Amino acid sequence: MQRGDSHARKEAVEVVNRDGAGSVLLLCEHASSHIPARYNGLGLRDEDRLSHAAWDPGARAVSLHLSQALDAPLVASRVSRLVYDCNRPPHVASAMPDRSELVAVPGNFGLDAAARQERVDTVYAPFCQAVSDIIAARKQAGLQTVLVTMHSFTPVFFGKEREVEIGVLHDEDTRFADAVLAAADALPHRQIERNKPYGPADGVTHSLKIHGLANQLANVMVEIRNDLVATPQEEEAIAEEMLTLLRPALAALAAERGQDA
């Protein structure tokens, strides 16, 4: 890799615990609300720059706790999803949305092909390459890998309250999602649901497809309602709850493969 390419990747992608030997690889596509200076704030109102439209509050913090507890590598985007949503393919409008729920994004109005390609090259491609490099290295090292992508969602969407607290999402491969949901009885105080508040029909399983399914990795996408992770203490508590779901699911998957958990 050329020095300039390396610098560009560092600006776009955060990699934590790259050589973690646990069985999980964590992704956090919406970890940051940062908008690089070259995009002039996308013309957003001040109150929208740190809103849930720009990122997934709490998702990175919970992911960091999980990374430490599970000895898991973590790949997180350093750039707001309003610049480029790394959980969307380049050809769809939602990759660079001109509106997110009630938030207008003037800097995304009428983007031409060159402008869109610049974001693909500087935000999306480095993120994907970082994930691919870790998967390849883990395969070479003989490590089993389960892909877990971490997100948060707003409690109220277009004026409608959402009762679900933790969503367990999957695409065609349901193996790991099934195992996670099987552990849900351990958290009887939580409203935990399958493919809520989004599902494959909403186009949210892109990362699961290109990094999980394409590499034949068991995978799951986790959505946490962001009012549950509003403080550092809550982030840590929810991370512990996620471990309550993930650890038995990982053990079940390993047992299926005839391995130690």
Side-chain angles (χ1 to χ4, degrees), residues 28 30-31 55-69 150-152 166 190 222 224-244:
C28 192
H30 307 152
W55 68 317
D56 282 358
R60 177 181 177 274
V62 172
S63 297
L64 288 171
H65 286 296
L66 296 179
S67 173
Q68 183 174 27
M150 298 299 301
H151 298 259
S152 71
I166 297 175
R190 288 286 172 232
V222 175
I224 300 166
R225 207 174 66 197
N226 67 29
D227 60 328
L228 303 178
V229 287
T231 68
Q233 294 77 18
E234 290 173 343
E235 290 164 349
E236 185 173 358
I238 287 294
E240 288 300 318
E241 292 190 11
M242 288 309 311
L243 291 169
T244 300

Side-chain angles (χ1 to χ4, degrees), residues 132-143:
S132 295
D133 288 350
I134 290 176
I135 291 173
R138 290 176 63 84
K139 184 176 181 180
Q140 186 172 19
L143 295 172

Side-chain angles (χ1 to χ4, degrees), residues 20 40 45 47 59 67 88 96 100 115 126 149 155 159 171 173 188 193 205 207 210 218 223:
N40 298 312
R45 300 179 303 172
E47 59 265 35
S67 173
R88 299 291 191 279
M96 292 159 263
S100 179
T149 74
D171 201 274
D173 182 354
E193 298 186 35
T205 56
S207 287
I210 66 165
E223 286 274 7

